[in-house]
Amino acid sequence: MTRNEAREILMQIMFEMEAGRTMNTDTASKLAEERLSGNHINRGKQLLTAIIENLESIDQAINDNSRAWKTGRMPKVDLAIMRLSIGEVRYSEDVPTAVSVNEAINLARKYSTPQSSRYIHGVLGSVFREDEEQ
């Protein structure tokens, strides 16, 4: 399993938990163990846990930098992609911002609407510029 494949699975887990309203660390750990392999299991569990524990802060950053929709109204796929990207950059030391944004755009192109990749790029760019300023 490549890191890109693991990232895609993590996005799917984030989407599934949001859609099922089961956003908790126990569910995240269980799903990561079932769907990831090798060293991606521990990394995935740690990342999902960090995202869930900091979900309020992540969602606030998305809301503060989104002109169109707030997290409660945006497509769940786009929300999962942005949460994952922000989580990777903020809570994983080995993921450069540019790589995470590029991967988020690729996931949006694969799983969401044609406009979503531009929207996600804009929101993430704004979030990460704000993070750098602080």
Side-chain angles (χ1 to χ4, degrees):
M1 171 177 292
T2 67
R3 193 168 220 180
N4 290 347
E5 292 168 335
R7 184 178 284 112
E8 190 171 331
I9 290 168
L10 291 172
M11 184 277 298
Q12 292 168 352
I13 291 171
M14 292 294 302
F15 172 83
E16 185 177 325
M17 288 191 309
E18 177 67 23
R21 299 182 192 270
T22 57
M23 192 68 70
N24 63 66
T25 56
D26 292 336
T27 301
S29 290
K30 180 181 175 196
L31 292 172
E33 286 177 9
E34 289 174 1
R35 298 179 187 174
L36 296 172
S37 63
N39 62 344
H40 297 293
I41 295 172
N42 285 334
R43 182 184 175 278
K45 286 167 57 173
Q46 290 171 348
L47 180 57
L48 290 172
T49 297
I51 292 169
I52 291 166
E53 289 175 351
N54 295 284
L55 196 59
E56 189 174 312
S57 170
I58 293 170
D59 284 357
Q60 187 63 50
I62 294 169
N63 285 330
D64 289 348
N65 291 282
S66 173
R67 292 186 190 132
W69 295 335
K70 300 305 177 196
T71 55
R73 293 195 59 219
M74 65 181 52
K76 301 304 179 208
V77 171
D78 296 358
L79 182 59
I81 292 169
M82 287 189 282
R83 284 174 170 169
L84 180 61
S85 181
I86 294 168
E88 280 185 321
V89 172
R90 286 185 175 175
Y91 310 112
S92 294
E93 295 179 12
D94 63 340
V95 181
T97 301
V99 170
S100 184
V101 170
N102 186 56
E103 292 297 324
I105 291 167
N106 290 338
L107 286 170
R109 287 181 179 146
K110 183 173 182 178
Y111 288 99
S112 199
T113 66
Q115 299 82 14
S116 287
S117 62
R118 283 181 269 138
Y119 174 72
I120 288 170
H121 184 253
V123 172
L124 291 177
S126 183
V127 167
F128 295 138
R129 275 190 301 279
E130 191 175 274
D131 283 356
E132 287 176 9
E133 291 172 3
Q134 294 178 355

